[in-house]
């Protein structure tokens, strides 16, 4: 029998199989003892997908822009309402997923870092223990992927139309739309892997719906007639907040570009940003379909001469139409994958996870992008199904994060996690059995400053109700009461009525940093 490191849940499974095997051996001594059937793992990862844009989360956008296929995962399994990331930016989040370690441990603090592929990751451990592993889609870690039997990735951020793919053996552009192509390649790999006799672990990683939200040919007109509800704090003035919220560069009003972001390409502003990245790569048919939708929008915009808040409102509507239609293509493609698994009987023993590298602002605080430890970008969507193991249609509200995936996947595969990993297996939560000693705080640290969008470095902790943030280079603290102030509009740090809570949070913050081995940045406790 193949040697695997077995523990917890799988121990029990193994015992059952061993005793069944022992019984049948008594009758039929020539039969070999088989290992328990370990589950396949399908990790579907998107880029910048706000939980507010998944209808299973029942946000105010749900009725306007449903995601029926992603919702199937929640219906068949569990929706996590308090899933977060340790550092709300792309490459660092991916490094944390792979290593189960915070940025200061895996060395990947910003998008500018190069991932150390020598370090231990969960795909490597699964592969060493009998899994066949693949990664298809966005990678963004700059070094060559390690730990995969097969990989095909987009260079850097990748392109939406006719994107390039890089693999060990080949590189070049493929005609089509990126979300469809990543799915085609994933289904082809699953099909080719069918007879391998090994369980699979596939990381299917979408580029969409990353900026500049270029929707696919099937969804160009999808939301053109829809007027989306605005967030209540679209016109936030950042009073009662710190310097960082006031000085960021990620507002719909100032930062969002009419040409590059909203694709109002005219003769004068051609040849930059999305015009080159997207339109420049299209074939004639794709361009004709695109122009038929965008040319009238450009014309109408020019006639309107919008200013001030009216212009912000108009930009918000365009942003939502593009962003949500881009997501619809991810959703269709999730449907294709779920159908494939069902048609091939693979849904019975596959843990399916849908999540994103971080959340995103859909106009809350007047913003787009991420990076801040405020809820919209600190949180990430998380839905999981596993037939017979995760009860259907359930909701979990424990504090979980992208730090937990590595240990969760190792646990379901019966592989022991190395001590270096800093998360916890979600397996008990998936069964609906939260351990008594489940964590009551999460640690966060964002490092990418100075950089695009100008979000100051900060670290902090969040508990069930209170959040503490330290902008250590500014020497400023922020604290929020998420129960009374879920939109985080009122910094209560140093408010006398919260004195004792503040003391215990600061104390807790210091202890958590010691626990995770954070080397204290300057000016921090
Ligand atoms: C690009 C985007 C930014 C985005 C970063 C990081 N600008 O620079 O808006 O914050 O990527 O995104 S764009 O004009 O090129 O779209 S991340 O998801 O990869 O971290
Ligand atoms: Ca991202």
């Amino acid at each position: 029998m193949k040697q695997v490191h077995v523990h917890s849940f799988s121990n029990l499974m193994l015992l059952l199989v061993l005793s069944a095997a022992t019984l049948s051996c008594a009758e039929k001594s020539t039969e070999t003892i088989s290992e328990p059937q370990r589950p396949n793992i399908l990790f579907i990862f998107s880029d910048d997908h706000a939980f507010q844009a998944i209808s299973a989360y029942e946000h105010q956008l749900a009725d306007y822009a449903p995601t029926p296929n992603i919702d199937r995962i929640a219906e068949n399994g569990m929706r996590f309402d308090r899933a977060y990331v340790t550092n709300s930016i792309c490459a660092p989040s991916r490094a944390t997923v792979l290593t189960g370690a915070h940025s200061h441990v895996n060395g990947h603090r910003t998008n500018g870092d190069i991932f150390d592929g020598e370090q231990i990751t969960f795909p490597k451990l699964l592969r060493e223990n009998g899994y066949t592993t693949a990664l298809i889609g966005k990678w963004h870690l700059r070094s060559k992927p390690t730990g995969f039997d097969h990989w095909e990735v987009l260079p850097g951020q990748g392109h939406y139309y006719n994107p390039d793919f890089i693999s060990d053996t080949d590189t070049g552009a493929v005609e089509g739309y990126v979300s469809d192509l990543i799915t085609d390649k994933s289904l082809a790999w699953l099909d080719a892997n069918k007879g391998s006799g090994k369980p699979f672990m596939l990381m299917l990683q979408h580029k969409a719906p990353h900026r500049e939200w270029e929707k696919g040919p099937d969804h160009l007109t999808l939301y053109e007639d829809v007027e989306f509800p605005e967030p209540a704090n679209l016109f936030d003035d950042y009073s009662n907040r710190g310097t960082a919220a006031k000085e960021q560069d990620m507002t719909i009003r100032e930062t969002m570009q009419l040409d590059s972001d909203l694709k109002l390409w005219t003769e004068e502003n051609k040849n930059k940003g999305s015009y080159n990245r997207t339109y420049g790569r299209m074939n004639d048919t794709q361009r004709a379909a695109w122009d038929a939708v965008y040319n009238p929008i450009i014309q109408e915009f020019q006639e309107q001469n919008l200013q001030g808040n009216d212009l912000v409102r108009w930009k918000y509507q365009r942003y939502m139409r593009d962003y949500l239609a881009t997501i619809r293509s991810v959703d269709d493609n999730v449907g294709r994958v779920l159908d494939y698994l069902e048609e091939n009987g693979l849904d019975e023993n596959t843990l399916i996870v849908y999540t994103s590298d971080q959340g995103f602002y859909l106009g809350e605080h007047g913003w787009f992008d991420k990076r801040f430890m405020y809820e919209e970008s600190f949180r990430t969507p998380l839905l999981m199904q596993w037939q017979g193991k995760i009860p259907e249609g359930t909701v979990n509200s424990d504090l979980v994060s992208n730090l937990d995936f590595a240990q969760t996947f190792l646990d379901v595969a019966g592989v022991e996690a190395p001590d270096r990993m800093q998360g916890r297996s979600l397996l008990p939560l998936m069964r609906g059995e939260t351990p008594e000693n489940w964590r009551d705080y999460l640690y966060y640290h964002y490092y990418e400053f100075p950089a695009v969008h100008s979000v100051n470095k900060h670290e902090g902790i969040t508990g069930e109700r209170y959040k503490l943030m330290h902008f250590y280079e500014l020497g400023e603290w922020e604290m929020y009461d998420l129960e009374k102030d879920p939109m985080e509009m009122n910094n209560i740090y140093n408010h006398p009525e919260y004195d004792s809570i503040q003391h215990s949070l600061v104390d807790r913050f210091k202890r958590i940093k010691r626990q995770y081995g954070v080397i204290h940045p300057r000016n921090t406790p």
Side-chain angles (χ1 to χ4, degrees):
M1 181 183 167
K2 198 169 168 51
Q3 272 284 223
V4 285
H5 302 284
V6 181
H7 71 139
S8 66
F9 168 68
S10 312
N11 247 335
L12 185 66
M13 276 172 61
L14 187 68
L15 271 179
L16 290 174
V17 172
L18 282 177
S19 43
T22 314
L23 281 178
S24 66
C25 276
E27 295 155 24
K28 229 175 134 198
S29 57
T30 48
E31 216 169 66
T32 49
I33 301 169
S34 65
E35 71 174 87
Q37 208 202 350
R38 292 181 295 163
N40 305 304
I41 298 166
L42 172 62
F43 182 72
I44 310 178
F45 204 43
S46 50
D47 193 1
D48 295 1
H49 194 168
F51 73 89
Q52 309 91 295
I54 290 180
S55 44
Y57 277 101
E58 298 167 358
H59 182 263
Q60 64 172 2
L61 294 170
D63 292 338
Y64 297 80
T67 49
N69 291 296
I70 297 172
D71 291 4
R72 277 161 70 182
I73 303 175
E75 283 151 23
N76 294 335
M78 189 171 274
R79 184 185 88 197
F80 289 80
D81 280 0
R82 300 209 63 187
Y84 292 89
V85 293
T86 56
N87 180 358
S88 179
I89 188 75
C90 188
S93 170
R94 288 154 202 268
T96 289
V97 167
L98 291 168
T99 60
H102 282 99
S103 305
H104 66 277
V105 171
N106 65 40
H108 215 107
R109 292 175 176 81
T110 73
N111 275 344
D113 291 319
I114 298 174
F115 184 67
D116 168 14
E118 294 292 305
Q119 61 189 312
I120 199 74
T121 63
F122 85 84
K124 284 187 186 174
L125 290 168
L126 290 181
R127 193 170 177 221
E128 281 164 21
N129 284 281
Y131 272 73
T132 176
T133 60
L135 179 132
I136 296 170
K138 184 169 174 186
W139 169 245
H140 204 199
L141 291 179
R142 306 184 67 191
S143 56
K144 222 164 143 176
T146 53
F148 300 99
D149 292 296
H150 177 82
W151 56 266
E152 275 179 277
V153 301
L154 306 169
Q157 293 282 6
H159 292 104
Y160 276 104
Y161 278 80
N162 311 329
D164 293 332
F165 279 89
I166 309 175
S167 75
D168 237 345
T169 51
D170 195 20
T171 191
V174 185
E175 183 130 319
Y177 184 67
V178 71
S179 308
D180 303 333
L181 295 172
I182 290 170
T183 307
D184 293 346
K185 286 177 180 294
S186 298
L187 294 180
W189 182 80
L190 286 173
D191 232 32
N193 183 57
K194 251 182 192 167
S196 77
K198 289 177 167 187
F200 68 78
M201 190 288 292
L202 169 63
M203 301 181 86
L204 189 170
Q205 309 204 148
H206 284 290
K207 168 185 170 56
H210 190 275
R211 190 184 184 194
E212 295 104 347
W213 326 294
E214 280 95 346
K215 49 196 173 185
D218 301 340
H219 303 93
L220 287 171
T221 58
L222 180 65
Y223 295 129
E224 287 307 311
D225 297 328
V226 179
E227 202 64 27
F228 291 99
E230 291 169 1
N233 54 359
L234 178 63
F235 296 103
D236 195 351
D237 64 2
Y238 316 115
S239 53
N240 305 321
R241 251 65 49 76
T243 306
K246 295 182 178 75
E247 293 191 346
Q248 46 57 43
D249 181 19
M250 48 192 262
T251 60
I252 292 178
R253 187 186 295 272
E254 303 285 344
T255 316
M256 186 177 281
Q257 300 298 302
L258 289 167
D259 49 6
S260 209
D261 287 313
L262 302 180
K263 301 100 183 169
L264 303 190
W265 303 315
T266 58
E267 278 310 316
E268 304 83 67
N269 64 25
K270 265 183 185 169
N271 298 323
K272 58 183 232 191
S274 64
Y275 182 87
N276 276 339
R277 285 196 281 261
T278 301
Y279 199 73
R281 298 184 69 92
M282 287 181 191
N283 61 33
D284 289 348
T285 316
Q286 291 164 339
R287 280 190 180 173
W290 184 277
D291 287 341
V293 176
Y294 281 92
N295 283 349
I297 296 168
I298 294 172
Q299 200 180 342
E300 195 192 312
F301 177 75
Q302 286 168 344
E303 286 160 10
Q304 280 177 318
N305 189 27
L306 297 167
Q307 307 290 334
N309 287 356
D310 290 340
L311 181 57
V312 172
R313 293 205 148 97
W314 187 88
K315 287 169 91 176
Y316 168 75
Q317 292 299 332
R318 287 267 21 112
Y319 168 35
M320 284 302 94
R321 286 179 192 134
D322 289 354
Y323 179 85
L324 295 165
T326 304
I327 284 171
R328 192 56 177 263
S329 147
V330 172
D331 188 74
D332 284 355
N333 279 297
V334 167
R336 286 176 66 203
V337 176
L338 296 180
D339 290 348
Y340 175 89
L341 295 178
E342 283 166 20
E343 283 155 17
N344 288 277
L346 287 167
D347 57 323
E348 283 165 25
N349 197 25
T350 301
L351 166 62
I352 305 169
V353 177
Y354 186 89
T355 188
S356 169
D357 61 344
Q358 15 66 208
F360 215 67
Y361 295 93
L362 304 185
E364 298 88 355
H365 303 288
W367 293 338
F368 65 100
D369 212 66
K370 51 261 179 176
R371 300 161 194 269
F372 275 111
M373 196 192 166
Y374 303 122
E375 288 293 283
E376 291 83 0
S377 52
F378 182 23
R379 270 181 71 178
T380 198
L382 176 59
L383 311 165
M384 285 192 191
Q385 80 170 66
W386 186 10
Q387 222 178 76
K389 302 289 192 304
I390 300 178
E392 286 175 25
T394 45
V395 176
N396 175 287
S397 53
D398 298 314
L399 296 173
V400 307
S401 92
N402 60 344
L403 192 65
D404 300 322
F405 291 129
Q407 275 148 286
T408 303
F409 299 151
L410 293 172
D411 196 11
V412 304
V415 178
E416 197 161 353
D419 288 345
R420 185 185 194 238
M421 293 189 171
Q422 299 181 304
R424 276 184 85 165
S425 168
L426 301 176
L427 192 53
L429 278 54
M430 286 148 66
R431 292 202 215 97
E433 297 159 8
T434 303
E436 291 230 338
N437 66 353
W438 191 253
R439 68 166 71 91
D440 50 7
Y441 284 94
L442 281 168
Y443 174 70
Y444 180 85
H445 200 151
Y446 172 78
Y447 304 80
E448 196 176 292
F449 182 85
V452 59
H453 298 302
S454 283
V455 173
N456 266 273
K457 292 180 188 176
H458 57 292
E459 57 176 345
I461 54 168
T462 197
E464 202 178 311
R465 175 162 176 186
Y466 297 104
K467 181 186 291 185
L468 181 74
M469 298 162 76
H470 189 204
F471 293 87
Y472 46 91
E473 291 189 340
L474 295 166
E476 291 181 16
W477 293 83
E478 295 184 22
M479 188 174 135
Y480 294 92
D481 179 340
L482 297 173
E483 200 175 287
K484 284 202 180 144
D485 177 25
M487 292 196 292
E488 298 162 292
M489 302 294 280
N490 193 22
N491 174 16
I492 51 166
Y493 191 81
N494 277 348
H495 282 207
E497 66 273 32
Y498 286 99
D499 199 46
S500 68
I501 292 164
Q502 183 174 313
H503 266 91
S504 70
L505 273 174
V506 172
D507 181 60
R508 200 54 195 267
F509 178 55
K510 291 182 196 165
R511 279 194 284 140
I512 287 178
K513 284 174 63 169
R514 273 199 297 276
Q515 178 198 328
Y516 286 130
V518 181
I519 298 157
H520 294 197
R522 255 173 353 116
N523 313 327
T524 70

Short mmCIF file of all heavy atoms in Angstrom, two decimals, residues 47-48 89-90 94 138 210 357-358 370, ligand 2:
data_model
loop_
_atom_site.label_atom_id
_atom_site.label_comp_id
_atom_site.label_asym_id
_atom_site.label_seq_id
_atom_site.Cartn_x
_atom_site.Cartn_y
_atom_site.Cartn_z
N ASP A 47 -9.85 36.78 -9.84
CA ASP A 47 -8.98 37.90 -9.51
C ASP A 47 -9.81 39.14 -9.27
O ASP A 47 -10.44 39.66 -10.19
CB ASP A 47 -8.03 38.11 -10.71
CG ASP A 47 -6.87 39.02 -10.37
OD1 ASP A 47 -6.78 39.47 -9.22
OD2 ASP A 47 -6.06 39.29 -11.27
N ASP A 48 -9.84 39.62 -8.03
CA ASP A 48 -10.58 40.84 -7.68
C ASP A 48 -12.10 40.66 -7.71
O ASP A 48 -12.83 41.60 -8.05
CB ASP A 48 -10.23 42.01 -8.64
CG ASP A 48 -8.79 42.48 -8.53
OD1 ASP A 48 -8.03 41.92 -7.74
OD2 ASP A 48 -8.44 43.45 -9.25
N ILE A 89 -3.80 41.93 -1.76
CA ILE A 89 -3.18 42.26 -3.06
C ILE A 89 -2.80 40.93 -3.71
O ILE A 89 -2.54 39.94 -3.03
CB ILE A 89 -1.98 43.22 -2.83
CG1 ILE A 89 -1.42 43.75 -4.14
CG2 ILE A 89 -0.91 42.61 -1.97
CD1 ILE A 89 -2.26 44.80 -4.80
N CYS A 90 -2.78 40.97 -5.04
CA CYS A 90 -2.79 39.74 -5.82
C CYS A 90 -1.71 38.70 -5.51
O CYS A 90 -1.98 37.62 -4.98
CB CYS A 90 -2.70 40.14 -7.28
SG CYS A 90 -2.92 38.82 -8.41
N ARG A 94 -1.74 35.01 -3.45
CA ARG A 94 -1.47 33.71 -4.10
C ARG A 94 -0.35 32.97 -3.36
O ARG A 94 -0.40 31.75 -3.20
CB ARG A 94 -1.10 33.93 -5.57
CG ARG A 94 -2.31 34.34 -6.38
CD ARG A 94 -1.99 35.14 -7.62
NE ARG A 94 -3.19 35.88 -7.98
CZ ARG A 94 -4.14 35.46 -8.81
NH1 ARG A 94 -3.99 34.32 -9.45
NH2 ARG A 94 -5.23 36.17 -9.02
N LYS A 138 -4.21 32.46 -14.36
CA LYS A 138 -3.34 33.52 -13.85
C LYS A 138 -2.41 33.01 -12.76
O LYS A 138 -2.83 32.29 -11.86
CB LYS A 138 -4.18 34.69 -13.31
CG LYS A 138 -3.27 35.85 -12.88
CD LYS A 138 -4.00 37.14 -12.59
CE LYS A 138 -3.01 38.16 -12.03
NZ LYS A 138 -3.66 39.39 -11.60
N HIS A 210 -10.48 41.28 -13.20
CA HIS A 210 -9.48 42.31 -12.90
C HIS A 210 -9.65 43.56 -13.77
O HIS A 210 -10.13 43.48 -14.90
CB HIS A 210 -8.09 41.69 -13.12
CG HIS A 210 -6.95 42.52 -12.63
ND1 HIS A 210 -6.37 43.52 -13.38
CD2 HIS A 210 -6.29 42.50 -11.46
CE1 HIS A 210 -5.40 44.08 -12.69
NE2 HIS A 210 -5.32 43.48 -11.51
N ASP A 357 -8.62 36.18 -5.02
CA ASP A 357 -7.37 36.55 -4.34
C ASP A 357 -7.58 37.66 -3.31
O ASP A 357 -6.79 37.83 -2.41
CB ASP A 357 -6.26 36.91 -5.34
CG ASP A 357 -6.59 38.09 -6.22
OD1 ASP A 357 -7.78 38.48 -6.31
OD2 ASP A 357 -5.66 38.64 -6.85
N GLN A 358 -8.63 38.41 -3.46
CA GLN A 358 -9.08 39.40 -2.46
C GLN A 358 -10.40 39.96 -2.92
O GLN A 358 -10.86 39.63 -4.02
CB GLN A 358 -8.13 40.55 -2.18
CG GLN A 358 -6.98 40.88 -3.08
CD GLN A 358 -7.23 41.38 -4.48
OE1 GLN A 358 -6.38 41.16 -5.33
NE2 GLN A 358 -8.35 42.03 -4.77
N LYS A 370 -8.47 47.70 -4.08
CA LYS A 370 -8.49 46.86 -2.86
C LYS A 370 -7.48 47.40 -1.86
O LYS A 370 -7.53 48.52 -1.47
CB LYS A 370 -8.19 45.40 -3.24
CG LYS A 370 -6.93 45.20 -4.09
CD LYS A 370 -7.24 45.05 -5.54
CE LYS A 370 -5.97 44.86 -6.37
NZ LYS A 370 -6.24 44.62 -7.77
CA1 LIG B 2 -6.26 40.57 -7.48
#
